[in-house]
Amino acid sequence: MPTDRVTVSLDEETKATLEGLTDRTGESQSQLIREAIAFYAANFDSAHASDSDHLQTYYEMLSTGEHVLLDVDLLHALLSQFSDPAEQDEEVLEMIDQVAQYHAQEYAERFDSLEDVLEWLSLCGFLTVRRDEKGSFHVVFPSESVRWLMIRFIRGSIADLPFEIEVDESVSKVLLREREP
């Protein structure tokens, strides 16, 4: 049986949250606070890791319903339908361009540089990026089909940003450079 007592000052929002939890769980406030402290201790490293900002972003992306988790094998299976450039369906290309155009409006309000865009797409799992020189980035894609899709998407989605890009494709990497329009 606990013997130490702690006095805690709660703001109105925290007080309401605690009262709501006691109503939902039937537990005492003391028990809920003990459980909250135990939970915080168990998750302390995760909450304070450098990736915690990424975890918050993932949560925000997924909770809005605007993004989904997708198995990478499923993505590759879908994209394998577009492996031959001569056989790419014009309707599909138009849909990809439509998605890029929609994102161009969002990106114009959100991003100022190619680096910002690439960091966002890296967070989404489409590519890995390494900065080379100012405005120059080595980009690695998980497959050739993802590379094809994302280069097309990047070209379209940066249309409203204050720069253009140069694309130099290698065997497994792409060098992207930001340049003035």
Side-chain angles (χ1 to χ4, degrees), residues 25-46:
T25 65
E27 298 283 345
S28 69
Q29 289 182 349
S30 293
Q31 180 59 30
L32 287 173
I33 290 172
R34 284 191 291 273
E35 289 176 13
I37 291 171
F39 180 83
Y40 183 70
N43 294 286
F44 183 83
D45 290 339
S46 294

Side-chain angles (χ1 to χ4, degrees), residues 123-154:
L123 182 63
C124 293
F126 288 113
L127 52 89
T128 303
V129 63
R130 181 176 52 88
R131 185 181 188 134
D132 184 12
E133 301 168 8
K134 184 176 175 133
S136 181
F137 305 90
H138 291 274
V139 182
V140 180
F141 299 92
S143 71
E144 187 174 332
S145 56
V146 172
R147 179 173 88 177
W148 166 83
L149 173 71
M150 293 312 301
I151 292 296
R152 186 174 187 104
F153 175 80
I154 290 168

Side-chain angles (χ1 to χ4, degrees), residues 30-64:
S30 293
Q31 180 59 30
L32 287 173
I33 290 172
R34 284 191 291 273
E35 289 176 13
I37 291 171
F39 180 83
Y40 183 70
N43 294 286
F44 183 83
D45 290 339
S46 294
H48 291 89
S50 63
D51 289 342
S52 64
D53 289 341
H54 291 319
L55 293 175
Q56 180 64 30
T57 302
Y58 293 145
Y59 170 76
E60 290 169 5
M61 290 169 67
L62 293 172
S63 67
T64 63

Side-chain angles (χ1 to χ4, degrees), residues 10-19:
L10 303 177
D11 59 30
E12 288 300 317
E13 182 181 349
T14 307
K15 180 181 175 187
T17 301
L18 182 58
E19 289 170 351

